[in-house]
Amino acid sequence: MAQMDSSSTTDAYQKMEVADTVVFEGGKPLVGEVTVRGAKNLVTKAMVAALLADTPSILEGVPDISDVAVVRGLLQAHAVSVSEAKDGELHLDPRGVKSAHFAEIDAHAGSSRIPILFCGPLLHQLGEAFIPDLGGCRIGDRPINFHLDALRAFGAEIEKNYEGVSLKAPARLVGTKVDLPYPSVGATEQVLLTAVRAKGVTELINAAIEPEIIDLISILQKMGAIIVVEPNRTIVIEGVDSLLGFRHRAIADRNEAASWAAAALATRGDIYVRGAKQQDLMTFLNIYRKVGGLFDVDDQGIRFRHPGGLISPVVIETDVHPGFMTDWQQPMVVALTQAEGRSIVHETVYENRFGFTDALVQMGAQIEVYKEGIASITRRVPSRPLEQAAVISGPTSLHGANIRVPDLRGGFSHVIAAVTAQGSSEVSNMGMISRGYEHLLQKLDNLGVSFELGP
Ligand code: EPU
């Protein structure tokens, strides 16, 4: 963007954040600094946790992303007061909580999966809850059977109808034993948010232990919950009668940090990611180093750099934490199109998370997707029926194309591909990316990317 005074810069940035189509001029390295704030996958859950309390809560480090706006709308629909006292600081007061009309819930919930997590807190507060058909990224079937099975075990009565799912708690929910078939992030959060105020003890076996979940447990502990994280993915929760509000600074968004790291590699750039935390990115950093990417850690963040010359291919298998997060693979696939040789990425968490590679192929990448995965001696975990694999052969020089953002992480990857490619690319459906990436265009502008807002 051209030089502007500060008020026209603010206007221009506001326009950028709502642009649906953007034309990028690629081929320049991304150089500079970005800041990551609170993690989408914690902040939205922390906002729901506030619903469990008898007093107000304060959440700090909240990013300006549309998934936060969705949860804010849903809380307000239930008469929870939500205000932003200062930039990134939300005050949430649940004292007036009441049931919302189905149409209002439906209107707010549209594009998110978070409404499912309202069930436990609303059952405790109001004895009833309703969730409409869920949105979220179209990266697989994304069923909610683990959630509903767990809620039934706590004593909830569940009725599915064509509008969604209605739940009732005829009496106080009671602690139970839940053995998850898979360490699902959402189902683990569901059990935590329900068990903390249930009567008696809940034992959760095969729980997810992602850093965002540990941060949610920290919040619940501040509120007065008793939660023991045992070895072997077991979490024991002793229910309490009531909880108080919390004050908490959200853990930084490691998925956004990893996305910028991959962008530095793909574009031969150099990006300092303020807020990135080494301990939450250990597995990512190992792969980054194997590929040849350079990083320097300090107290405030991590600088990610291309080493010069050619980067190396790698084999990646997505997994639950502490494995390589599924959310990291899409941006890394773009970087791997620039590696010399053949990389393999096994996706084991979602059955449809390589759809974004079609656009990369259109831009000149050589990527073959194997819908049932491929056997390899480097496998660490047994295959699941939903596994896929992508084989990326490089290096390939990417050229501009007209592409449409398919989902959140795939969308960020399309943007990195567009800024890596020679020539211009028109990227549409950009709004999808604002679900989880704060002020994306503003950050790209600061990193030296040339673009125009499209029609
Ligand atoms: N699953 C079921 N039944 C269920 C729940 C999950 O079969 O009831 C399956 C899913 O279909 C999937 C697997 O279990 O194959 C993992 O799903 P999980 O429940 O762990 O994921 P989630 O809670 O729906 C969260 C993040 C995702 C992230 C995953 C994995 C949020 C809002 N979403 O989803 O983030 O990929 O955990 O870590 O926290 C993203 O940020 O772009 C994103 C998709």
Side-chain angles (χ1 to χ4, degrees):
M1 287 210 323
Q3 281 305 105
M4 288 183 292
D5 65 40
S6 64
S7 69
S8 52
T9 306
T10 309
D11 284 354
Y13 282 153
Q14 276 165 358
K15 272 198 200 128
M16 282 183 201
E17 299 320 323
V18 295
D20 180 70
T21 301
V22 178
V23 180
F24 292 98
E25 196 56 45
K28 275 198 302 192
L30 265 56
V31 178
E33 175 174 326
V34 293
T35 297
V36 293
R37 294 209 280 181
K40 163 179 93 70
N41 291 349
L42 175 275
V43 165
T44 45
K45 326 306 173 55
M47 291 169 73
V48 180
L51 196 49
L52 283 162
D54 295 337
T55 56
S57 294
I58 299 177
L59 183 60
E60 296 167 0
V62 178
D64 180 15
I65 53 174
S66 60
D67 267 14
V68 165
V70 165
V71 180
R72 185 176 179 156
L74 273 172
L75 286 169
Q76 286 167 335
H78 289 91
V80 175
S81 119
V82 185
S83 56
E84 191 161 7
K86 54 183 184 204
D87 184 33
E89 183 178 299
L90 284 189
H91 288 217
L92 306 118
D93 186 347
R95 285 173 294 188
V97 62
K98 58 179 202 272
S99 296
H101 189 266
F102 141 75
E104 222 178 337
I105 301 175
D106 200 33
H108 287 289
S111 62
S112 168
R113 289 184 60 77
I114 308 298
I116 183 85
L117 296 179
F118 276 65
C119 292
L122 286 179
L123 287 172
H124 285 303
Q125 294 282 30
L126 304 170
E128 61 176 19
F130 169 78
I131 40 159
D133 269 348
L134 294 177
C137 288
R138 297 275 166 246
I139 50 182
D141 272 352
R142 307 193 77 179
I144 53 169
N145 52 329
F146 303 163
H147 295 253
L148 299 184
D149 289 349
L151 288 161
R152 270 193 207 98
F154 281 106
E157 289 175 0
I158 298 177
E159 195 187 302
K160 290 191 203 170
N161 51 42
Y162 71 97
E163 290 164 333
V165 183
S166 297
L167 301 98
K168 284 207 165 22
R172 183 175 173 192
L173 298 178
V174 180
T176 184
K177 181 169 175 171
V178 178
D179 190 350
L180 290 176
Y182 177 81
S184 149
V185 168
T188 297
E189 292 158 345
Q190 181 73 264
V191 171
L192 288 168
L193 291 167
T194 307
V196 282
R197 276 192 51 187
K199 186 169 186 298
V201 177
T202 296
E203 187 184 16
L204 174 59
I205 297 162
N206 207 22
I209 49 165
E210 268 65 5
E212 293 79 13
I213 287 180
I214 302 302
D215 207 36
L216 179 63
I217 292 175
S218 312
I219 290 174
L220 293 168
Q221 188 177 53
K222 283 179 178 175
M223 296 172 77
I226 302 168
I227 302 172
V228 181
V229 182
E230 295 189 338
N232 301 328
R233 296 189 174 278
T234 297
I235 300 180
V236 178
I237 305 116
E238 288 179 40
V240 295
D241 291 343
S242 61
L243 293 168
L244 294 174
F246 60 85
R247 182 178 194 113
H248 190 78
R249 174 163 290 277
I251 186 177
D253 199 314
R254 65 200 170 107
N255 293 341
E256 186 183 354
S259 302
W260 290 115
L265 208 49
T267 63
R268 308 182 73 82
D270 183 341
I271 304 179
Y272 180 75
V273 184
R274 188 169 294 281
K277 289 265 182 313
Q278 181 185 15
Q279 60 267 40
D280 297 335
L281 285 162
M282 290 277 184
T283 308
F284 177 82
L285 294 174
N286 287 336
I287 292 289
Y288 204 74
R289 178 161 282 158
K290 280 192 190 181
V291 174
L294 304 176
F295 57 88
D296 310 300
V297 179
D298 66 34
D299 290 347
Q300 308 300 319
I302 306 178
R303 177 182 175 195
F304 294 96
R305 287 180 289 143
H306 191 281
L310 280 170
I311 55 172
S312 307
V314 74
V315 176
I316 296 174
E317 181 157 301
T318 65
D319 206 342
V320 293
H321 184 77
F324 192 93
M325 288 285 294
T326 166
D327 305 283
W328 300 336
Q329 61 91 344
Q330 295 97 326
M332 275 307 279
V333 164
V334 183
L336 292 174
T337 65
Q338 305 308 304
E340 185 179 34
R342 224 162 47 154
S343 299
I344 303 174
V345 178
H346 290 272
E347 169 58 54
T348 73
V349 180
Y350 291 112
E351 62 271 44
N352 189 19
R353 224 174 185 182
F354 283 128
F356 75 101
T357 58
D358 290 349
L360 303 191
V361 170
Q362 196 188 331
M363 298 171 89
Q366 277 183 33
I367 303 176
E368 279 178 79
V369 173
Y370 295 81
K371 295 222 177 296
E372 283 160 12
I374 48 175
S376 147
I377 48 164
T378 55
R379 301 298 307 279
R380 287 178 299 105
V381 296
S383 63
R384 298 176 75 209
L386 43 69
E387 160 176 306
Q388 293 189 306
V391 177
I392 304 119
S393 305
T396 44
S397 63
L398 303 182
H399 53 78
N402 290 354
I403 52 182
R404 184 175 167 80
V405 165
D407 59 67
L408 174 65
R409 308 289 167 201
F412 186 90
S413 309
H414 282 187
V415 171
I416 305 179
V419 300
T420 304
Q422 294 297 330
S424 65
S425 296
E426 186 177 294
V427 185
S428 60
N429 201 26
M430 289 285 296
M432 178 65 89
I433 308 180
S434 60
R435 283 192 43 214
Y437 290 90
E438 182 178 41
H439 305 158
L440 175 70
L441 293 177
Q442 199 169 320
K443 288 179 181 174
L444 289 170
D445 190 33
N446 291 338
L447 293 171
V449 174
S450 307
F451 59 85
E452 301 267 340
L453 303 189

